[in-house]
Amino acid sequence: MPLFTVLSHVAFGAVDHAFLHPSSTFLGHSAVGHGNSTDQMPGVTPGSMGKPHPASADEKTIVGQVQEATEVATGKHYQEFDATTCCTQVVAGVNYFCKVNVGSNDCVHIRVFQPLGGGDVALAGVEQDKNPTDEITYIDEQ
């Protein structure tokens, strides 16, 4: 499927999975063997923030890529930086809203954006002074 077709489906809040060829990918996730192309992204509905789920290995890698940017944004250095829980939102790419354990029973919540096609990730927002029981909520772009 041409990229502009996928973008138009995402922009209008609906991905018509019938258009996905079994060998095609959407946001780097294969549609092969799945009922739809976002099955590998738990709780994802295009345009809305998905349900919290344990951070996957891929999400932990993505979060690790923004540790330095998070430290600059917060003015702190973290000995630990381990994503524990994430929610995702499909937009013109993917927003990852993640709870990150930074040690001593402290957490930060971060928003990381990855554009379509799996380009470079970027820190889009940070909330400090969180604890492990705080719910992940929508973080405005900062």
Side-chain angles (χ1 to χ4, degrees):
M1 174 187 301
L3 181 59
F4 67 89
T5 304
V6 172
L7 287 173
S8 67
H9 288 291
V10 172
F12 294 105
V15 175
D16 188 348
H17 303 296
F19 287 106
L20 289 174
H21 185 274
S23 65
S24 68
T25 59
F26 179 71
L27 300 176
H29 299 277
S30 173
V32 174
H34 301 286
N36 65 52
S37 62
T38 57
D39 281 347
Q40 292 179 345
M41 297 171 64
V44 174
T45 301
S48 67
M49 192 169 134
K51 296 176 184 174
H53 59 270
S56 69
D58 287 342
E59 290 166 332
K60 288 177 181 263
T61 298
I62 288 168
V63 166
Q65 293 174 21
V66 297
Q67 179 174 351
E68 185 177 332
T70 304
E71 291 174 344
V72 169
T74 61
K76 298 177 181 176
H77 175 72
Y78 302 114
Q79 293 295 323
E80 294 181 46
F81 201 78
D82 182 42
T84 59
T85 307
C86 293
C87 301
T88 53
Q89 176 190 36
V90 177
V91 290
V94 179
N95 280 319
Y96 296 89
F97 298 88
C98 297
K99 180 182 300 187
V100 182
N101 177 7
V102 294
S104 300
N105 210 32
D106 292 327
C107 294
V108 294
H109 291 182
I110 62 173
R111 175 179 171 180
V112 180
F113 177 72
Q114 183 174 40
L116 283 171
D120 291 338
V121 299
L123 181 68
V126 178
E127 292 179 346
Q128 298 184 71
D129 303 320
K130 298 292 184 174
N131 66 57
T133 61
D134 288 336
E135 282 187 39
I136 300 171
T137 57
Y138 189 87
I139 301 169
D140 289 323
E141 194 165 342
Q142 299 169 349

